[in-house]
Amino acid sequence: MPYLGSEDVVKELKKALCNPHIQADRLRYRNVIQRVIRMPKLDQWGQAEVLNFLLRYEPRSEEELFDILNLLDSFLKSSSPGVVMGATKLFLILAKKFPHVQTDVLVQVKGPLLAACSSESRELCFAALCHVRQILHSLPGHFSSHYKKFFCSYSEPHYIKLQKVEVLCELVNDENVQQVLEELRGYCTDVSADFAQAAIFAIGGIARTYTDQCVQILTELLGLRQEHITTVVVQTFRDLVWLCPQCTEAVCQALPGCEENIQDSEGKQALIWLLGVHGERIPNAPYVLEDFVENVKSETFPAVTMELLTALLRLFLSRPAECQDTLGRLLHYCIEEEKNMAVRDRGLFYYRLLLAGIDEVKRILCSPKSDPSLGLLEDQAERPVNSWASDFNTLVPVYGKARWATISKYQGAEHRGPELPDTASFATSGPLIPEENKERVQELPDSGALVLVPNCQLTAEYFEKTWFSLKVAHQQVFPWRGAVHPDTLQMALQVVNIQTIAMSRAGAHPWKAYLSAQDDTGCLFLTELLLESENSEMQISVKQNEPRTETLNSFISVLETVFGTIGDIKS
Amino acid sequence: MISQFFILSSKGDPLIYKDFRGDSGGRDVAELFYRKLTGLPGDESPVVMHHDDRHFIHIRHSGLYLVATTSENISPFSLLELLSRLATLLGDYCGSLGEGTISRNVALVYELLDEVLDYGYVQTTSTEMLRNFIQTEAVVSKPFSLFDLSSVGLFGAETQQSKVAPSSAASRPVLSSRSDQSQKNEVFLDVVERLSVLIASNGSLLKVDVQGEIRLKSFLPSGSEMRIGLTEEFCVGKSELRGYGPGIRVDEVSFHSSVLLEEFESHRILRLQPPQGELTVMRYQLSDDLPSPLPFRLFPSVQWDRGSGRLQVYLKLRCDLPPKSLSQELSGPEQKAELGDGALHWDLPRVQGGSQLSGLFQMDVPGLPGPSGQGPSTMAPPLGLGPASLSFELPRHTCSGLQVRFLRLAFRPCGNANPHKWVRHLSHSDAYVIRI
């Protein structure tokens, strides 16, 4: 038990959290909690620990909630960043039903966060920047007026500069776009190629909203004729043309001349794609592609050759006379001389397609040239604060969501002893089998007679039909805390050979899932999971197409094992 | 709550290793960390790394790596704060933090770690509480000498005639043996400002940012009350107005939790009873509105000679500080210029306030072949010249204008001879960039 500054505090906290009599009595519990918050002698570590413990507390009424928030207000002004962030997280979690309170507290924490971003300590700066990005996902305009604080400075380490550039990209608005773009333009000619490329991608990101200015800047950059700059600019153009078709004209005018400065695979693919899809507006497109075809024998990247095939065929449809000869030579090379089977296959496919007639070719190759709706999907306008509030002030924003997902999948493979007393009762049946040991699956401890067959794929219609025709064999509730992570759950079920037919996305209320499994005798288990809201209970309904109680019980215990281990991971 | 804590030297040699929970790995974890750190791809941050169910989080301080491992998903801010506080604490106890001092005081460091962290949980980091438990004495490398002016350290005083205290004066251990009563009672107060400036190529000011700290290092017995008086016209925020004239303004201030602020509103006096050791009393920020002119302005002019491929850069540096102050570069005594790493370095040991210095630099640049058709002798001009970045230190000058008016100690009847008070104001550049 941490020292927390004094023995009294420890005693009080122990009482509040471990004594069931106090927990049963709401009033005494609340009093103890309030006394703990008011403890004057806590040092910054004690305060941070108290704030952490309080995350588990559920105020029963709005009054009580605002009482606690008032008491915690002073913690927000503490000089210790750990305490300020801990208090912010507690506010965000306690006030999850009051978005305006959440916004208020995020406004209050702006000052300390910005101070941390300019701190001398690089590490603190980095952690603060990651949290700023997290906040910008929900409140994009939050830091817009302080954009100058995120300008990169000469001596900063690379990882901090990258974060700052991302932040600049995300906080752009009408008032600061001019200055931000100018600053980013300066970074594009930086000595470090990586950083310059990151800045160019950032400009590409801003270009989705402020297309004209950005396209102009990118076109100027092409004029510098630097390899590392040109390749990234062309890739950005390719993405931009897909999302914002209005800039196609400007892009097509800028492209001629780039081919001399691109050497890497990604850049070449991007250029070739652009020439293929929009080649009719680019006068010398066929001749550039012809150049590539001349050198196809020495082309080291098969991906480039594949892209070349597609692009040339597309261009052939709109400018047949100029491309016919080149296309012929390319197809001849790919079919007769190319050693990479994927490229040869594609060449053969296109040849046979041509033999089938020009209409067939048009039907297959004339795909849409742009999809602006994709930009809207990708933008993910403003995720609600509650989706990341529990990750605030933890290591999750520092790693980034993607990296954290891989880490937690890896960690899920090992069983960790129950640290919190209330999850101890669930995780009893042994470790979740790690993915790499799937071949050595032993029988699950409680299953006895039950062996679930892998790869039993039921179609959705069959599942539905069977579901409605059966009666519920068993119903149970399972205590659950927090939100469901569908991917983790699906994977965990997969390991024990339970297939997921359908699953709601994370954060849906109510959350539902339909699972199916089949044992080696052909007995089907159809399961419905229902979670009304977070922190309530998970309702499990199981239907069996042959009434067999022992296998049913075994199946239930398998499900319990999975849930127990998933719950462990989350806590 | 941490599992292990270790300190590595700048080359990765483990100096200290302590395992608190015994639940992950052994001593080889230190080597693992260093290998992972040096092998990290450029765009991944080294601050928090993950390996084998463990998170490694570290800070760099005085060339050392202080690393903690944990298997829980805990607050990065708390962990980083803990590591910084440990660094300060070790510095207080050993005199200064460095490879040498740590190696000499290994027993003391382990004792400190034992008291500060129990089973990975923080018990206390307060110097006051800890001094009751720590028995080991710190080992110092050489006796403290007033004539040691060679090292430049964090605390110290300017070299005026009778008041000389070298910067290494503050780097002796704070809590030495209690039996030695001849220890001087001293207190060092530093007002340090970091200046970040960005000037565009047309001379306009894009960004100016001042981050200031008032730091205190006290060798006085704890419990001595101290009052620090700041400039009375010091205003916080944009709307406050005090006194006549423009006054001294900062945007935001924050104080250490132990500072009493009753007299701050009225007379700008801070009261506190500092523990022994280092403490940051106050932090403040100021952006966009400096009362004094910028210390340096650069007037560059660049000429490119097509025929010979020679680049001429003429730099005129003007120092706009009041004439009496001196500014000092952090390098050797003579002026020199050198070209290296794709950059031109120009070192100036001292620049007088109000003076102008200029230099003409000629460089042969292997240019790109120019546009074809104009003959082989023409070469394309270079794409652009990178920005000029200045790094300097300004003693006795604060960019915001904030000054410490007085530092008074409450009278101690049984005290020793009057304690010495050293107050220093200092500004240095954090990132002073002028675009050409």
Side-chain angles (χ1 to χ4, degrees):
Chain A
M1 200 65 183
Y3 178 56
L4 290 184
S6 84
E7 289 295 330
D8 303 330
V9 181
V10 178
K11 265 193 250 163
E12 296 285 350
L13 261 185
K14 270 194 181 153
K15 263 197 263 174
L17 298 172
C18 306
N19 186 335
H21 297 298
I22 295 221
Q23 289 186 339
D25 182 346
R26 295 303 306 180
L27 199 57
R28 276 178 82 186
Y29 190 39
R30 189 183 82 164
N31 286 341
V32 168
I33 293 280
Q34 295 207 346
R35 222 173 319 153
V36 162
I37 297 177
R38 287 199 185 99
M39 283 283 164
K41 287 200 247 153
L42 287 179
D43 63 0
Q44 74 238 55
W45 315 109
Q47 289 173 356
E49 287 286 345
V50 163
L51 291 167
N52 207 20
F53 283 127
L54 288 177
L55 285 172
R56 302 188 218 170
Y57 186 62
E58 282 254 9
R60 280 300 150 106
S61 73
E62 230 177 86
E63 257 184 71
E64 195 184 342
L65 169 70
F66 286 110
D67 264 345
I68 296 189
L69 294 184
N70 279 336
L71 284 172
L72 293 175
D73 220 21
S74 54
F75 287 159
L76 282 177
K77 301 189 189 61
S78 161
S79 60
S80 144
V83 172
V84 172
M85 295 303 154
T88 312
K89 178 176 180 173
L90 187 57
F91 260 80
L92 291 177
I93 296 215
L94 285 181
K96 54 181 172 261
K97 299 198 184 69
F98 302 98
H100 59 280
V101 174
Q102 290 179 327
T103 318
D104 266 343
V105 83
L106 287 175
V107 169
Q108 275 196 307
V109 86
K110 228 197 309 195
L113 261 182
L114 285 174
C117 288
S118 333
S119 154
E120 252 181 327
S121 151
R122 297 257 157 85
E123 296 84 10
L124 188 62
C125 181
F126 178 73
L129 283 171
C130 296
H131 283 78
V132 165
R133 283 187 69 189
Q134 186 76 282
I135 296 181
L136 282 176
H137 283 153
S138 291
L139 302 168
H142 205 60
F143 291 99
S144 294
S145 48
H146 300 272
Y147 64 96
K148 286 193 183 165
K149 300 240 175 201
F150 300 103
F151 283 177
C152 300
S153 117
Y154 185 69
S155 50
E156 278 169 353
H158 192 57
Y159 58 90
I160 291 197
K161 285 195 203 169
L162 286 180
Q163 288 290 324
K164 284 193 170 175
V165 161
E166 293 287 327
V167 170
L168 280 176
C169 181
E170 286 165 23
L171 56 67
V172 156
N173 68 10
D174 287 336
E175 285 149 7
N176 60 25
V177 66
Q178 199 55 36
Q179 289 94 318
V180 170
L181 279 179
E182 258 176 54
E183 186 68 19
L184 284 173
R185 168 80 174 79
Y187 299 155
C188 297
T189 43
D190 193 80
V191 171
S192 146
D194 284 330
F195 183 52
Q197 290 182 338
I200 298 176
F201 278 127
I203 296 187
I206 299 179
R208 293 184 195 173
T209 345
Y210 298 94
T211 324
D212 296 321
Q213 292 155 302
C214 296
V215 170
Q216 196 180 2
I217 294 181
L218 292 169
T219 316
E220 278 167 22
L221 286 174
L222 278 181
L224 297 174
R225 298 169 164 270
Q226 290 287 297
E227 231 176 80
H228 65 279
I229 294 183
T230 310
T231 170
V232 175
V233 171
V234 171
Q235 290 172 48
T236 316
F237 274 155
R238 173 197 54 190
D239 297 334
L240 207 49
V241 152
W242 185 254
L243 294 169
C244 306
Q246 66 267 27
C247 66
T248 319
E249 194 53 51
V251 167
C252 292
Q253 286 180 354
L255 275 183
C258 307
E259 62 277 2
E260 300 163 21
N261 300 49
I262 302 185
Q263 296 299 329
D264 68 314
S265 161
E266 281 293 316
K268 280 191 195 168
Q269 285 178 52
L271 180 63
I272 295 174
W273 183 90
L274 279 168
L275 290 172
V277 173
H278 297 284
E280 33 195 42
R281 295 194 228 191
I282 305 172
N284 66 340
Y287 309 104
V288 178
L289 289 177
E290 190 175 346
D291 270 336
F292 276 111
V293 172
E294 299 284 321
N295 300 325
V296 75
K297 289 199 183 104
S298 51
E299 182 57 62
T300 32
F301 304 108
V304 176
T305 321
M306 302 241 279
E307 195 67 53
L308 191 56
L309 273 168
T310 316
L312 201 49
L313 195 54
R314 280 204 179 109
L315 196 55
F316 174 70
L317 291 174
S318 44
R319 294 164 82 162
E322 293 159 299
C323 301
Q324 184 179 357
D325 195 42
T326 326
L327 183 57
R329 274 186 280 144
L330 181 61
L331 283 174
H332 182 267
Y333 169 76
C334 289
I335 299 175
E336 300 291 329
E337 295 171 30
E338 172 64 56
K339 298 200 187 59
N340 183 306
M341 281 302 120
V343 178
R344 184 171 179 278
D345 260 357
R346 189 177 277 207
L348 260 179
F349 169 65
Y350 284 156
Y351 180 68
R352 288 175 186 148
L353 194 57
L354 282 167
L355 286 177
I358 206 69
D359 289 325
E360 283 297 315
V361 183
K362 279 197 180 153
R363 204 166 62 87
I364 293 193
L365 279 182
C366 285
S367 43
K369 295 197 180 178
S370 66
D371 190 1
S373 61
L374 195 60
L376 290 172
L377 274 179
E378 271 194 10
D379 273 340
Q380 266 186 27
E382 291 162 41
R383 288 161 40 201
V385 175
N386 288 331
S387 61
W388 51 261
S390 53
D391 293 333
F392 193 81
N393 199 29
T394 63
L395 295 172
V396 178
V398 180
Y399 279 117
K401 265 284 191 220
R403 186 99 209 282
W404 183 256
T406 49
I407 290 175
S408 51
K409 279 184 201 167
Y410 182 84
Q411 276 187 330
E414 297 169 38
H415 178 66
R416 287 182 300 129
E419 304 223 359
L420 308 163
D422 36 14
T423 58
S425 47
F426 309 134
T428 46
S429 317
L432 187 64
I433 301 154
E435 290 210 314
E436 50 266 48
N437 296 333
K438 242 199 296 204
E439 309 77 83
R440 294 185 262 126
V441 164
Q442 291 117 19
E443 285 195 7
L444 297 160
D446 289 345
S447 56
L450 183 68
V451 174
L452 291 174
V453 172
N455 301 325
C456 126
Q457 294 288 359
L458 292 185
T459 60
E461 296 85 359
Y462 183 74
F463 182 92
E464 208 176 319
K465 215 168 41 128
T466 326
W467 179 262
F468 286 126
S469 64
L470 292 173
K471 277 207 301 256
V472 177
H474 182 89
Q475 254 186 332
Q476 186 176 330
V477 288
F478 195 83
W480 191 267
R481 205 173 48 244
V484 180
H485 295 234
D487 299 322
T488 329
L489 187 60
Q490 183 166 355
M491 232 186 4
L493 292 168
Q494 184 88 8
V495 173
V496 295
N497 297 326
I498 300 180
Q499 320 299 343
T500 313
I501 302 288
M503 211 178 239
S504 308
R505 56 178 176 80
H509 293 310
W511 184 88
K512 270 195 194 180
Y514 288 99
L515 318 170
S516 76
Q518 188 176 31
D519 79 353
D520 51 357
T521 63
C523 176
L524 277 177
F525 297 93
L526 306 177
T527 317
E528 177 193 63
L529 301 174
L530 173 64
L531 189 68
E532 285 288 338
S533 57
E534 292 178 21
N535 296 333
S536 67
E537 295 150 334
M538 173 89 77
Q539 290 167 20
I540 308 176
S541 314
V542 184
K543 294 186 183 178
Q544 204 179 7
N545 67 351
E546 286 156 37
R548 270 190 236 161
T549 331
E550 337 77 56
T551 46
L552 182 63
N553 288 335
S554 312
F555 181 72
I556 300 290
S557 57
V558 168
L559 272 181
E560 279 180 3
T561 315
V562 172
F563 291 145
T565 330
I566 297 282
D568 230 13
I569 294 172
K570 281 199 305 55
S571 60
Chain B
M1 171 256 313
I2 67 183
S3 306
Q4 295 151 308
F5 172 77
F6 46 94
I7 302 185
L8 302 179
S9 75
S10 49
K11 297 191 199 61
D13 310 313
L15 300 170
I16 299 279
Y17 171 83
K18 183 136 181 92
D19 192 327
F20 293 105
R21 296 174 74 85
D23 62 354
S24 35
R27 300 191 90 96
D28 55 346
V29 112
E31 273 168 51
L32 187 82
F33 164 77
Y34 192 68
R35 253 183 293 133
K36 210 169 158 73
L37 183 69
T38 43
L40 205 60
D43 54 351
E44 256 185 59
S45 153
V47 177
V48 184
M49 298 192 290
H50 178 82
H51 185 86
D52 243 3
D53 198 25
R54 258 173 303 187
H55 303 282
F56 291 84
I57 190 164
H58 80 279
I59 65 168
R60 285 211 73 176
H61 199 284
S62 317
L64 299 173
Y65 294 97
L66 280 84
V67 192
T69 67
T70 174
S71 45
E72 298 278 308
N73 183 10
I74 50 183
S75 157
F77 293 100
S78 295
L79 261 185
L80 289 171
E81 210 186 319
L82 174 63
L83 290 174
S84 303
R85 180 66 196 143
L86 275 173
T88 316
L89 207 55
L90 291 175
D92 280 345
Y93 271 88
C94 304
S96 61
L97 191 63
E99 202 176 322
T101 50
I102 296 282
S103 328
R104 277 190 289 271
N105 291 294
V106 168
L108 175 60
V109 173
Y110 277 115
E111 203 180 341
L112 266 173
L113 288 175
D114 263 333
E115 294 301 329
V116 169
L117 290 151
D118 181 27
Y119 201 55
Y121 290 98
V122 180
Q123 301 299 299
T124 174
T125 54
S126 142
T127 336
E128 274 322 291
M129 307 239 23
L130 286 171
R131 75 178 298 195
N132 299 327
F133 302 110
I134 304 293
Q135 309 291 331
T136 327
E137 285 302 315
V139 174
V140 277
S141 58
K142 49 187 180 189
F144 158 55
S145 159
L146 262 182
F147 301 104
D148 184 3
L149 297 168
S150 50
S151 53
V152 177
L154 188 58
F155 292 93
E158 56 273 16
T159 53
Q160 285 178 2
Q161 277 163 352
S162 53
K163 291 203 284 182
V164 176
S167 309
S168 54
S171 64
R172 57 188 169 94
V174 170
L175 299 131
S176 317
S177 63
R178 294 161 225 161
S179 56
D180 187 354
Q181 289 302 322
S182 64
Q183 284 289 339
K184 272 218 193 66
N185 277 337
E186 290 175 302
V187 60
F188 297 86
L189 189 66
D190 268 10
V191 180
V192 183
E193 292 191 351
R194 286 183 293 140
L195 182 62
S196 285
V197 163
L198 182 61
I199 300 181
S201 41
N202 57 3
S204 64
L205 183 60
L206 286 180
K207 164 181 125 151
V208 62
D209 200 54
V210 175
Q211 303 275 335
E213 280 185 354
I214 299 185
R215 282 188 234 158
L216 178 73
K217 185 152 182 176
S218 160
F219 290 92
L220 304 172
S222 46
S224 341
E225 194 181 288
M226 180 182 297
R227 292 166 81 222
I228 303 174
L230 304 171
T231 332
E232 281 224 12
E233 298 87 34
F234 162 49
C235 314
V236 179
K238 295 218 173 341
S239 46
E240 233 191 319
L241 200 61
R242 277 176 180 247
Y244 304 101
I248 290 147
R249 187 176 299 281
V250 300
D251 288 341
E252 274 183 17
V253 282
S254 65
F255 301 94
H256 191 263
S257 47
S258 59
V259 175
L260 301 165
L261 296 170
E262 300 110 5
E263 294 175 65
F264 184 69
E265 267 307 298
S266 44
H267 302 290
R268 295 298 187 225
I269 296 180
L270 306 172
R271 245 175 9 118
L272 67 158
Q273 296 188 326
Q276 287 185 324
E278 255 187 70
L279 180 67
T280 303
V281 177
M282 182 172 118
R283 277 183 228 259
Y284 57 95
Q285 290 130 294
L286 174 61
S287 338
D288 289 336
D289 242 338
L290 274 194
S292 50
L294 288 177
F296 291 102
R297 296 208 67 115
L298 189 71
F299 302 98
S301 74
V302 180
Q303 269 177 352
W304 163 251
D305 185 0
R306 235 165 228 268
S308 55
R310 180 166 283 196
L311 187 67
Q312 272 195 351
V313 180
Y314 178 69
L315 293 174
K316 188 159 74 167
L317 182 70
R318 189 174 81 198
C319 177
D320 285 327
L321 295 172
K324 283 233 185 87
S325 60
L326 292 175
S327 115
Q328 189 171 4
E329 282 286 320
L330 306 164
S331 62
E334 317 100 41
Q335 264 197 46
K336 58 181 192 267
E338 57 190 33
L339 189 65
D341 295 330
L344 172 69
H345 298 265
W346 184 17
D347 295 321
L348 298 156
R350 287 177 115 79
V351 177
Q352 278 274 4
S355 66
Q356 267 186 327
L357 288 146
S358 48
L360 178 64
F361 304 91
Q362 288 185 334
M363 289 167 277
D364 286 320
V365 178
L368 305 164
S372 53
Q374 283 188 23
S377 60
T378 54
M379 294 216 263
L383 294 170
L385 218 49
S389 166
L390 279 73
S391 78
F392 54 84
E393 210 180 85
L394 308 169
R396 277 175 310 199
H397 176 86
T398 52
C399 304
S400 63
L402 184 65
Q403 299 269 326
V404 170
R405 267 184 306 136
F406 61 81
L407 169 62
R408 286 194 200 123
L409 302 165
F411 180 62
R412 306 265 302 156
C414 59
N416 304 325
N418 256 340
H420 283 241
K421 298 173 277 193
W422 306 102
V423 176
R424 182 169 77 148
H425 301 84
L426 179 64
S427 302
H428 65 93
S429 62
D430 186 18
Y432 200 100
V433 175
I434 301 172
R435 296 200 171 140
I436 298 184

